[in-house]
Amino acid sequence: MVPVVAVAVLVGLLVAPPLRGLIAYFAVPEGEPWCDACPLCGRAVRLLPPTGRCPGCRGRLGAGAGTVEAVAAAVAVAVAYAADGPQTMALGWAGALGVALGFVDARVRRLPHLLNLALLAGVAVLLAAAALAEGRPGVLVRCLLAALTVGMLLELAVWAKALGPGDSPLGFALGGLLGWYGWPVALGGLFAAMVLAGLWATLLVVAALARRREVRGRDVPVGPFLLLGALIAVLAG
Ligand SMILES: [Zn+2]
């Protein structure tokens, strides 16, 4: 077990620099152009060090020091722990892009469609390959139905303006991935996400009341909780 954890941590650390690049690129407010260069020195944003600082000018760029590395390593350990078949490739892909999406949503309250699409496309291709490798293409029907179910439930919340527009596409992709593991995991992931987001919102309200400040619905990014709920459901399933 120790070697597996060590390898998983190493993988997490190796994927962190490009994930930091993605986070810095996409973590811009709605309506602003993507950040493809350091705003301070103009150096291209691709791979970023764990310090969370631009290699050119040492200015703050993207997520805080060590944060992406810690989360990516933890997710890699969780994926390694859950690994039990060819679908683990899809889980790993969703884990990596999920780290980027989670950080972007936490920073600027949005889940960019390009990142959502990349997560969905990778999961779809890798799950299809896994289903063929295992000789049971029928499981893909359940994945599709789970994707539609979770995606539509979240879309209802988007229509009710309870969620942001990026939450339902992410739910669609995660629902499809969790559908591989069965309906209890797919719906359990959504349930865990809502419970965690609700707890977080409650904490924010209590903290705001203590400081006599107002809380708005937009203060709670739901993406990180959808991702965390999905991971918990896979581990529990
Ligand atoms: Zn710079």
Side-chain angles (χ1 to χ4, degrees), residues 178 184-194 225-226 228-234:
L178 267 54
V185 176
L187 298 176
L190 182 61
F191 180 72
M194 292 303 120
F225 296 106
L226 287 174
L228 186 59
L231 195 57
I232 291 172
V234 168

Side-chain angles (χ1 to χ4, degrees), residues 16-17 20-21 47-56 58 61 63-66 68-69:
R20 278 187 172 278
L47 306 175
L48 292 174
T51 53
R53 293 185 177 275
C54 166
R58 311 255 163 242
L61 191 56
V68 180
E69 290 70 23

Side-chain angles (χ1 to χ4, degrees), residues 20 25-26 28 46 54 58-59 82 111 113 141 145 151 167 176-177 180 184 189 211 225:
R20 278 187 172 278
Y25 183 82
F26 283 107
V28 292
R46 296 277 185 278
C54 166
R58 311 255 163 242
L111 296 164
H113 286 313
V141 175
L145 290 176
D167 290 319
L177 175 62
W180 178 283
R211 286 186 290 162
F225 296 106

Side-chain angles (χ1 to χ4, degrees), residues 15-26:
V15 298
L19 289 181
R20 278 187 172 278
L22 282 177
I23 293 163
Y25 183 82
F26 283 107

